[in-house]
Amino acid sequence: MKISKKRHLEIAIESIPKNLNPKVKWEQYSTPAKIAADLVWNANSLGDIFNKSVLDLGCGTGVFTFSPLMIGAKIAMGIDIDKDSIATAQNTAKNLKIANSHFITKDIHNIKNIKEDLLINNLTNKIDLKFDTIFTNPPFGSQSRSKKGADRIFMELAIASANVCYSFHMAETKDFVIDFYEKYGGKITHEFFYNFPLKHSYDFHRKESKDIEVIVLRVVQKN
């Protein structure tokens, strides 16, 4: 039986190592390969991946940094607060020989704009000062231990730093998120719904896995 190109992408994403030491304060959960492949495949069909510059905001070990490169993105950069995740991503780039990927360890609360960090890290000769496409997967806020309002910081930075962004959120917050993006000049063009499995990752988890309904919004700048 012939395997589809989308399935090939999913298999390739499965080779990206997960975070072996997730930190609950940052709500670190790995995006399943099936979800990542579906979203990136759809993004590519909408013209947002091939030959584009991509930013993975809150990248973890780089699922949405590497997967766009696997299907033709021009260049991709990941930013995350967790130095362990960034180290894993950098090792993955080396081991899998994935070119044109760059990573920065940075607390998103300390980023005024992406331009400054590109300048500081001497990447402006490789990456334009504004990205074509951003994937942002902020903390869902599903745990009381997480930092409140962190998702708003991600959204503000995303809409200011790219022409198009794909933004993960709990489905129940859909109306709030849409209102927020529209306030900042964004327009929602597409909605993708997924059952996101939260695996048994932390000591306080009582179940092996719990599914939560997640929405990913494709947001474009109106102007």
mmCIF file of all heavy atoms in Angstrom, residues 133-171:
data_model
loop_
_atom_site.group_PDB
_atom_site.id
_atom_site.type_symbol
_atom_site.label_atom_id
_atom_site.label_comp_id
_atom_site.label_asym_id
_atom_site.label_seq_id
_atom_site.Cartn_x
_atom_site.Cartn_y
_atom_site.Cartn_z
ATOM 1 N N THR A 133 5.502 33.271 8.201
ATOM 2 C CA THR A 133 4.553 32.434 8.929
ATOM 3 C C THR A 133 5.064 32.134 10.334
ATOM 4 O O THR A 133 6.249 31.853 10.514
ATOM 5 C CB THR A 133 4.336 31.094 8.191
ATOM 6 O OG1 THR A 133 3.938 31.360 6.841
ATOM 7 C CG2 THR A 133 3.278 30.242 8.880
ATOM 8 N N ILE A 134 4.161 32.195 11.314
ATOM 9 C CA ILE A 134 4.497 31.844 12.691
ATOM 10 C C ILE A 134 3.561 30.747 13.179
ATOM 11 O O ILE A 134 2.357 30.779 12.923
ATOM 12 C CB ILE A 134 4.378 33.067 13.629
ATOM 13 C CG1 ILE A 134 5.560 34.017 13.436
ATOM 14 C CG2 ILE A 134 4.300 32.644 15.100
ATOM 15 C CD1 ILE A 134 5.539 35.222 14.352
ATOM 16 N N PHE A 135 4.139 29.785 13.872
ATOM 17 C CA PHE A 135 3.368 28.818 14.655
ATOM 18 C C PHE A 135 3.588 29.145 16.118
ATOM 19 O O PHE A 135 4.739 29.253 16.568
ATOM 20 C CB PHE A 135 3.832 27.379 14.369
ATOM 21 C CG PHE A 135 3.502 26.905 12.991
ATOM 22 C CD1 PHE A 135 4.378 27.118 11.937
ATOM 23 C CD2 PHE A 135 2.309 26.241 12.743
ATOM 24 C CE1 PHE A 135 4.080 26.681 10.662
ATOM 25 C CE2 PHE A 135 1.997 25.798 11.456
ATOM 26 C CZ PHE A 135 2.885 26.025 10.419
ATOM 27 N N THR A 136 2.511 29.342 16.846
ATOM 28 C CA THR A 136 2.660 29.642 18.268
ATOM 29 C C THR A 136 1.748 28.733 19.078
ATOM 30 O O THR A 136 0.566 28.584 18.786
ATOM 31 C CB THR A 136 2.363 31.126 18.571
ATOM 32 O OG1 THR A 136 2.470 31.357 19.979
ATOM 33 C CG2 THR A 136 0.990 31.556 18.100
ATOM 34 N N ASN A 137 2.347 28.090 20.066
ATOM 35 C CA ASN A 137 1.641 27.130 20.894
ATOM 36 C C ASN A 137 1.826 27.530 22.358
ATOM 37 O O ASN A 137 2.599 26.914 23.088
ATOM 38 C CB ASN A 137 2.193 25.721 20.639
ATOM 39 C CG ASN A 137 1.317 24.641 21.246
ATOM 40 O OD1 ASN A 137 0.345 24.921 21.948
ATOM 41 N ND2 ASN A 137 1.675 23.394 20.991
ATOM 42 N N PRO A 138 1.138 28.600 22.798
ATOM 43 C CA PRO A 138 1.319 29.095 24.166
ATOM 44 C C PRO A 138 0.728 28.133 25.184
ATOM 45 O O PRO A 138 -0.028 27.221 24.826
ATOM 46 C CB PRO A 138 0.541 30.414 24.159
ATOM 47 C CG PRO A 138 -0.505 30.231 23.120
ATOM 48 C CD PRO A 138 0.127 29.376 22.052
ATOM 49 N N PRO A 139 1.065 28.314 26.459
ATOM 50 C CA PRO A 139 0.436 27.481 27.502
ATOM 51 C C PRO A 139 -1.084 27.560 27.395
ATOM 52 O O PRO A 139 -1.648 28.640 27.243
ATOM 53 C CB PRO A 139 0.941 28.110 28.801
ATOM 54 C CG PRO A 139 2.222 28.778 28.427
ATOM 55 C CD PRO A 139 2.019 29.281 27.029
ATOM 56 N N PHE A 140 -1.731 26.406 27.440
ATOM 57 C CA PHE A 140 -3.187 26.365 27.308
ATOM 58 C C PHE A 140 -3.895 26.995 28.497
ATOM 59 O O PHE A 140 -5.059 27.359 28.423
ATOM 60 C CB PHE A 140 -3.675 24.920 27.170
ATOM 61 C CG PHE A 140 -3.289 24.266 25.884
ATOM 62 C CD1 PHE A 140 -2.886 22.944 25.859
ATOM 63 C CD2 PHE A 140 -3.331 24.955 24.689
ATOM 64 C CE1 PHE A 140 -2.536 22.322 24.672
ATOM 65 C CE2 PHE A 140 -2.977 24.351 23.493
ATOM 66 C CZ PHE A 140 -2.578 23.024 23.492
ATOM 67 N N GLY A 141 -3.205 27.078 29.637
ATOM 68 C CA GLY A 141 -3.868 27.554 30.839
ATOM 69 C C GLY A 141 -4.707 26.481 31.486
ATOM 70 O O GLY A 141 -5.574 26.759 32.307
ATOM 71 N N SER A 142 -4.431 25.208 31.122
ATOM 72 C CA SER A 142 -5.224 24.107 31.660
ATOM 73 C C SER A 142 -4.778 23.702 33.056
ATOM 74 O O SER A 142 -5.454 22.940 33.729
ATOM 75 C CB SER A 142 -5.122 22.887 30.730
ATOM 76 O OG SER A 142 -3.782 22.456 30.606
ATOM 77 N N GLN A 143 -3.635 24.231 33.500
ATOM 78 C CA GLN A 143 -3.150 23.928 34.841
ATOM 79 C C GLN A 143 -3.091 25.213 35.667
ATOM 80 O O GLN A 143 -2.659 26.246 35.189
ATOM 81 C CB GLN A 143 -1.737 23.308 34.785
ATOM 82 C CG GLN A 143 -1.641 22.060 33.932
ATOM 83 C CD GLN A 143 -2.440 20.918 34.485
ATOM 84 O OE1 GLN A 143 -2.809 20.918 35.657
ATOM 85 N NE2 GLN A 143 -2.712 19.924 33.650
ATOM 86 N N SER A 144 -3.523 25.145 36.912
ATOM 87 C CA SER A 144 -3.514 26.332 37.771
ATOM 88 C C SER A 144 -2.098 26.783 38.071
ATOM 89 O O SER A 144 -1.867 27.921 38.442
ATOM 90 C CB SER A 144 -4.234 26.025 39.090
ATOM 91 O OG SER A 144 -3.600 24.960 39.778
ATOM 92 N N ARG A 145 -1.119 25.869 37.863
ATOM 93 C CA ARG A 145 0.271 26.214 38.137
ATOM 94 C C ARG A 145 0.880 27.087 37.042
ATOM 95 O O ARG A 145 1.956 27.643 37.208
ATOM 96 C CB ARG A 145 1.101 24.928 38.256
ATOM 97 C CG ARG A 145 0.769 24.060 39.458
ATOM 98 C CD ARG A 145 1.571 22.767 39.378
ATOM 99 N NE ARG A 145 1.446 21.936 40.566
ATOM 100 C CZ ARG A 145 0.512 21.028 40.752
ATOM 101 N NH1 ARG A 145 -0.401 20.855 39.834
ATOM 102 N NH2 ARG A 145 0.466 20.305 41.854
ATOM 103 N N SER A 146 0.244 27.153 35.875
ATOM 104 C CA SER A 146 0.802 27.903 34.759
ATOM 105 C C SER A 146 0.672 29.407 34.980
ATOM 106 O O SER A 146 -0.160 29.872 35.742
ATOM 107 C CB SER A 146 0.089 27.521 33.455
ATOM 108 O OG SER A 146 -1.251 27.929 33.489
ATOM 109 N N LYS A 147 1.521 30.132 34.282
ATOM 110 C CA LYS A 147 1.509 31.587 34.406
ATOM 111 C C LYS A 147 0.309 32.166 33.665
ATOM 112 O O LYS A 147 0.118 31.943 32.472
ATOM 113 C CB LYS A 147 2.802 32.170 33.833
ATOM 114 C CG LYS A 147 2.915 33.680 34.003
ATOM 115 C CD LYS A 147 4.251 34.190 33.485
ATOM 116 C CE LYS A 147 5.364 33.826 34.415
ATOM 117 N NZ LYS A 147 6.641 34.469 34.026
ATOM 118 N N LYS A 148 -0.532 32.887 34.365
ATOM 119 C CA LYS A 148 -1.741 33.447 33.762
ATOM 120 C C LYS A 148 -1.392 34.541 32.759
ATOM 121 O O LYS A 148 -0.487 35.344 32.968
ATOM 122 C CB LYS A 148 -2.645 34.014 34.854
ATOM 123 C CG LYS A 148 -3.099 32.976 35.886
ATOM 124 C CD LYS A 148 -3.920 31.857 35.255
ATOM 125 C CE LYS A 148 -4.413 30.868 36.298
ATOM 126 N NZ LYS A 148 -5.159 29.752 35.690
ATOM 127 N N GLY A 149 -2.133 34.566 31.675
ATOM 128 C CA GLY A 149 -1.948 35.617 30.685
ATOM 129 C C GLY A 149 -0.799 35.393 29.734
ATOM 130 O O GLY A 149 -0.546 36.225 28.859
ATOM 131 N N ALA A 150 -0.092 34.261 29.862
ATOM 132 C CA ALA A 150 1.055 34.023 28.990
ATOM 133 C C ALA A 150 0.628 33.929 27.534
ATOM 134 O O ALA A 150 1.360 34.347 26.632
ATOM 135 C CB ALA A 150 1.779 32.747 29.411
ATOM 136 N N ASP A 151 -0.575 33.394 27.293
ATOM 137 C CA ASP A 151 -1.028 33.244 25.912
ATOM 138 C C ASP A 151 -1.166 34.599 25.226
ATOM 139 O O ASP A 151 -0.917 34.723 24.032
ATOM 140 C CB ASP A 151 -2.343 32.466 25.856
ATOM 141 C CG ASP A 151 -3.448 33.089 26.706
ATOM 142 O OD1 ASP A 151 -3.132 33.891 27.597
ATOM 143 O OD2 ASP A 151 -4.623 32.741 26.473
ATOM 144 N N ARG A 152 -1.539 35.638 25.976
ATOM 145 C CA ARG A 152 -1.701 36.960 25.378
ATOM 146 C C ARG A 152 -0.364 37.510 24.888
ATOM 147 O O ARG A 152 -0.305 38.170 23.847
ATOM 148 C CB ARG A 152 -2.328 37.923 26.385
ATOM 149 C CG ARG A 152 -3.666 37.448 26.912
ATOM 150 C CD ARG A 152 -4.291 38.443 27.851
ATOM 151 N NE ARG A 152 -5.476 37.883 28.515
ATOM 152 C CZ ARG A 152 -6.362 38.605 29.176
ATOM 153 N NH1 ARG A 152 -6.196 39.908 29.297
ATOM 154 N NH2 ARG A 152 -7.408 38.021 29.731
ATOM 155 N N ILE A 153 0.702 37.251 25.647
ATOM 156 C CA ILE A 153 2.033 37.701 25.243
ATOM 157 C C ILE A 153 2.413 37.041 23.924
ATOM 158 O O ILE A 153 2.921 37.693 23.007
ATOM 159 C CB ILE A 153 3.083 37.347 26.324
ATOM 160 C CG1 ILE A 153 2.650 37.835 27.693
ATOM 161 C CG2 ILE A 153 4.450 37.879 25.928
ATOM 162 C CD1 ILE A 153 2.822 39.275 27.935
ATOM 163 N N PHE A 154 2.174 35.730 23.830
ATOM 164 C CA PHE A 154 2.466 35.003 22.595
ATOM 165 C C PHE A 154 1.681 35.590 21.427
ATOM 166 O O PHE A 154 2.218 35.799 20.334
ATOM 167 C CB PHE A 154 2.093 33.523 22.760
ATOM 168 C CG PHE A 154 3.129 32.685 23.437
ATOM 169 C CD1 PHE A 154 3.260 32.694 24.820
ATOM 170 C CD2 PHE A 154 3.975 31.860 22.706
ATOM 171 C CE1 PHE A 154 4.209 31.907 25.455
ATOM 172 C CE2 PHE A 154 4.928 31.070 23.327
ATOM 173 C CZ PHE A 154 5.048 31.085 24.708
ATOM 174 N N MET A 155 0.397 35.847 21.640
ATOM 175 C CA MET A 155 -0.450 36.328 20.551
ATOM 176 C C MET A 155 -0.030 37.708 20.075
ATOM 177 O O MET A 155 0.014 37.986 18.875
ATOM 178 C CB MET A 155 -1.913 36.317 20.983
ATOM 179 C CG MET A 155 -2.501 34.923 21.110
ATOM 180 S SD MET A 155 -4.312 34.923 21.367
ATOM 181 C CE MET A 155 -4.424 35.475 23.065
ATOM 182 N N GLU A 156 0.274 38.590 21.005
ATOM 183 C CA GLU A 156 0.703 39.946 20.636
ATOM 184 C C GLU A 156 1.967 39.902 19.793
ATOM 185 O O GLU A 156 2.085 40.603 18.777
ATOM 186 C CB GLU A 156 0.949 40.777 21.895
ATOM 187 C CG GLU A 156 -0.303 41.202 22.627
ATOM 188 C CD GLU A 156 0.021 42.016 23.867
ATOM 189 O OE1 GLU A 156 1.097 42.632 23.911
ATOM 190 O OE2 GLU A 156 -0.797 42.024 24.809
ATOM 191 N N LEU A 157 2.923 39.095 20.213
ATOM 192 C CA LEU A 157 4.187 38.999 19.494
ATOM 193 C C LEU A 157 3.990 38.349 18.130
ATOM 194 O O LEU A 157 4.585 38.770 17.134
ATOM 195 C CB LEU A 157 5.194 38.205 20.330
ATOM 196 C CG LEU A 157 6.645 38.216 19.858
ATOM 197 C CD1 LEU A 157 7.167 39.650 19.770
ATOM 198 C CD2 LEU A 157 7.515 37.410 20.809
ATOM 199 N N ALA A 158 3.139 37.336 18.077
ATOM 200 C CA ALA A 158 2.910 36.630 16.818
ATOM 201 C C ALA A 158 2.294 37.538 15.764
ATOM 202 O O ALA A 158 2.767 37.594 14.621
ATOM 203 C CB ALA A 158 2.011 35.417 17.061
ATOM 204 N N ILE A 159 1.248 38.259 16.124
ATOM 205 C CA ILE A 159 0.559 39.092 15.142
ATOM 206 C C ILE A 159 1.424 40.260 14.682
ATOM 207 O O ILE A 159 1.258 40.782 13.580
ATOM 208 C CB ILE A 159 -0.797 39.608 15.708
ATOM 209 C CG1 ILE A 159 -1.686 40.163 14.584
ATOM 210 C CG2 ILE A 159 -0.578 40.636 16.789
ATOM 211 C CD1 ILE A 159 -2.135 39.143 13.578
ATOM 212 N N ALA A 160 2.396 40.643 15.521
ATOM 213 C CA ALA A 160 3.282 41.757 15.171
ATOM 214 C C ALA A 160 4.491 41.315 14.352
ATOM 215 O O ALA A 160 5.188 42.157 13.784
ATOM 216 C CB ALA A 160 3.770 42.459 16.439
ATOM 217 N N SER A 161 4.736 40.009 14.278
ATOM 218 C CA SER A 161 6.009 39.532 13.735
ATOM 219 C C SER A 161 5.904 38.728 12.452
ATOM 220 O O SER A 161 6.922 38.286 11.919
ATOM 221 C CB SER A 161 6.732 38.670 14.795
ATOM 222 O OG SER A 161 6.904 39.393 15.998
ATOM 223 N N ALA A 162 4.687 38.515 11.943
ATOM 224 C CA ALA A 162 4.538 37.714 10.723
ATOM 225 C C ALA A 162 3.287 38.112 9.971
ATOM 226 O O ALA A 162 2.375 38.736 10.515
ATOM 227 C CB ALA A 162 4.489 36.224 11.067
ATOM 228 N N ASN A 163 3.255 37.744 8.703
ATOM 229 C CA ASN A 163 2.079 38.006 7.882
ATOM 230 C C ASN A 163 0.939 37.054 8.215
ATOM 231 O O ASN A 163 -0.236 37.410 8.119
ATOM 232 C CB ASN A 163 2.451 37.864 6.402
ATOM 233 C CG ASN A 163 3.524 38.851 5.987
ATOM 234 O OD1 ASN A 163 3.479 40.014 6.361
ATOM 235 N ND2 ASN A 163 4.496 38.379 5.222
ATOM 236 N N VAL A 164 1.304 35.831 8.607
ATOM 237 C CA VAL A 164 0.322 34.792 8.915
ATOM 238 C C VAL A 164 0.758 34.076 10.175
ATOM 239 O O VAL A 164 1.952 33.801 10.357
ATOM 240 C CB VAL A 164 0.216 33.750 7.772
ATOM 241 C CG1 VAL A 164 -0.796 32.665 8.127
ATOM 242 C CG2 VAL A 164 -0.150 34.420 6.462
ATOM 243 N N CYS A 165 -0.185 33.778 11.072
ATOM 244 C CA CYS A 165 0.183 32.958 12.221
ATOM 245 C C CYS A 165 -0.862 31.870 12.447
ATOM 246 O O CYS A 165 -2.045 32.040 12.159
ATOM 247 C CB CYS A 165 0.393 33.801 13.477
ATOM 248 S SG CYS A 165 -1.072 34.473 14.241
ATOM 249 N N TYR A 166 -0.362 30.742 12.940
ATOM 250 C CA TYR A 166 -1.197 29.608 13.339
ATOM 251 C C TYR A 166 -1.086 29.497 14.848
ATOM 252 O O TYR A 166 -0.002 29.273 15.387
ATOM 253 C CB TYR A 166 -0.721 28.320 12.656
ATOM 254 C CG TYR A 166 -1.017 28.302 11.173
ATOM 255 C CD1 TYR A 166 -0.163 28.929 10.268
ATOM 256 C CD2 TYR A 166 -2.155 27.677 10.680
ATOM 257 C CE1 TYR A 166 -0.437 28.935 8.909
ATOM 258 C CE2 TYR A 166 -2.437 27.670 9.314
ATOM 259 C CZ TYR A 166 -1.573 28.296 8.434
ATOM 260 O OH TYR A 166 -1.866 28.305 7.084
ATOM 261 N N SER A 167 -2.202 29.672 15.526
ATOM 262 C CA SER A 167 -2.202 29.883 16.972
ATOM 263 C C SER A 167 -3.042 28.817 17.676
ATOM 264 O O SER A 167 -4.236 28.682 17.415
ATOM 265 C CB SER A 167 -2.750 31.286 17.257
ATOM 266 O OG SER A 167 -2.555 31.672 18.584
ATOM 267 N N PHE A 168 -2.405 28.043 18.575
ATOM 268 C CA PHE A 168 -3.060 26.980 19.330
ATOM 269 C C PHE A 168 -3.751 27.525 20.576
ATOM 270 O O PHE A 168 -3.155 28.303 21.328
ATOM 271 C CB PHE A 168 -2.022 25.959 19.809
ATOM 272 C CG PHE A 168 -1.625 24.923 18.809
ATOM 273 C CD1 PHE A 168 -0.711 25.220 17.808
ATOM 274 C CD2 PHE A 168 -2.138 23.640 18.878
ATOM 275 C CE1 PHE A 168 -0.325 24.258 16.896
ATOM 276 C CE2 PHE A 168 -1.759 22.662 17.972
ATOM 277 C CZ PHE A 168 -0.849 22.975 16.976
ATOM 278 N N HIS A 169 -4.978 27.044 20.846
ATOM 279 C CA HIS A 169 -5.695 27.439 22.064
ATOM 280 C C HIS A 169 -6.702 26.365 22.445
ATOM 281 O O HIS A 169 -7.125 25.562 21.598
ATOM 282 C CB HIS A 169 -6.428 28.768 21.851
ATOM 283 C CG HIS A 169 -5.521 29.876 21.442
ATOM 284 N ND1 HIS A 169 -4.833 30.636 22.361
ATOM 285 C CD2 HIS A 169 -5.161 30.312 20.201
ATOM 286 C CE1 HIS A 169 -4.079 31.508 21.697
ATOM 287 N NE2 HIS A 169 -4.257 31.331 20.399
ATOM 288 N N MET A 170 -7.107 26.375 23.704
ATOM 289 C CA MET A 170 -8.216 25.510 24.104
ATOM 290 C C MET A 170 -9.458 25.977 23.355
ATOM 291 O O MET A 170 -9.728 27.183 23.262
ATOM 292 C CB MET A 170 -8.421 25.584 25.615
ATOM 293 C CG MET A 170 -7.271 24.979 26.410
ATOM 294 S SD MET A 170 -7.528 25.055 28.202
ATOM 295 C CE MET A 170 -8.859 23.849 28.387
ATOM 296 N N ALA A 171 -10.222 25.039 22.822
ATOM 297 C CA ALA A 171 -11.372 25.384 21.982
ATOM 298 C C ALA A 171 -12.385 26.253 22.718
ATOM 299 O O ALA A 171 -13.033 27.111 22.116
ATOM 300 C CB ALA A 171 -12.040 24.112 21.467
#
